[in-house]
Amino acid sequence: MEQDPMLSLLSATAQGDKKAFAELYQASSKQLYAVSLKMLKHKELAEEALQEAYVRIWHNASQYRAGKGTVLTWMISIARYRALDILRYHAVRKEEALSDNQVPVTTSSETMTETQQGLLEKCMGALDVQQRQAIHLAYFNGMSHHEVTAHLDLPLGTIKSWIRRGLQSLQRCLKL
């Protein structure tokens, strides 16, 4: 099996080698930034996620396990989780703003009228916090059930139940 070219850089980074870390950054930052930008859609947020990802990579370089994928795959997953944390943070802030009767930060979807969007937001607000968070991650952020499980560090059955019950509640609410 061919050795991952970034493995030696990550190993040196785990030993505190700042030069190796700089080389690792040069070799991977474009890919990690692209992933962050695609998820977050805003340059400033993508840069924030990238910075947080590299801080985490620096501190956790010794935790990489070669049998679980390439160094770049490991680093991209860290960047994705940082981006998801930022998305979740902004979703919570948006929900708080909505609960304070403020105008939502984003505009309504092109496929939904303002009335439908308002009803959906009202129904989403009526869900349990866990159900709402799991549905947001799965449907608004495009995560699989397994990714939601890893992100929230909860059992798969719990996540599936929250999503299923949340969707059933949404369906009942939207039919009224």
Side-chain angles (χ1 to χ4, degrees):
M1 183 170 106
E2 191 174 312
Q3 173 133 355
D4 184 346
M6 292 188 196
L7 183 58
S8 61
L9 294 174
L10 187 66
S11 296
T13 297
Q15 301 299 315
D17 185 336
K18 292 177 184 175
K19 184 177 182 225
F21 182 66
E23 289 178 37
L24 187 64
Y25 177 89
Q26 288 297 328
S28 60
S29 60
K30 289 179 183 171
Q31 292 95 332
L32 271 63
Y33 178 73
V35 167
S36 299
L37 185 60
K38 182 176 182 183
M39 292 177 69
L40 296 167
K41 312 276 192 262
H42 297 284
K43 180 182 174 195
E44 297 81 16
L45 294 177
E47 290 169 352
E48 179 183 339
L50 186 68
Q51 180 179 357
E52 290 178 16
Y54 277 103
V55 168
R56 177 130 329 170
I57 290 164
W58 171 260
H59 289 292
N60 297 324
S62 64
Q63 294 179 3
Y64 169 75
R65 298 294 170 249
K68 295 194 173 197
T70 67
V71 171
L72 185 59
T73 301
W74 179 75
M75 292 171 64
I76 287 172
S77 71
I78 291 173
R80 280 188 77 242
Y81 285 122
R82 295 304 99 222
L84 288 170
D85 287 342
I86 290 170
L87 282 171
R88 185 173 52 189
Y89 170 76
H90 287 283
V92 167
R93 289 198 47 203
K94 180 181 173 187
E95 287 176 22
E96 289 170 354
L98 288 174
S99 69
D100 293 338
N101 295 324
Q102 296 177 0
V103 177
V105 178
T106 57
T107 60
S108 63
S109 170
E110 292 178 35
T111 60
M112 296 178 76
T113 67
E114 286 185 34
T115 304
Q116 291 170 326
Q117 183 72 23
L119 180 59
L120 178 60
E121 288 175 4
K122 176 184 160 247
C123 292
M124 285 292 290
L127 296 176
D128 291 339
V129 174
Q130 299 93 345
Q131 291 173 344
R132 185 171 49 246
Q133 183 181 28
I135 289 171
H136 265 284
L137 291 171
Y139 292 95
F140 295 105
N141 296 342
M143 295 175 71
S144 71
H145 288 168
H146 290 285
E147 289 172 324
V148 174
T149 297
H151 184 71
L152 297 178
D153 195 27
L154 291 167
L156 180 60
T158 300
I159 298 301
K160 285 183 174 184
S161 293
W162 285 353
I163 291 172
R164 184 184 69 252
R165 286 194 304 257
L167 290 175
Q168 289 169 343
S169 295
L170 278 177
Q171 186 177 28
R172 283 190 301 275
C173 180
L174 291 171
K175 284 184 179 179
L176 295 177

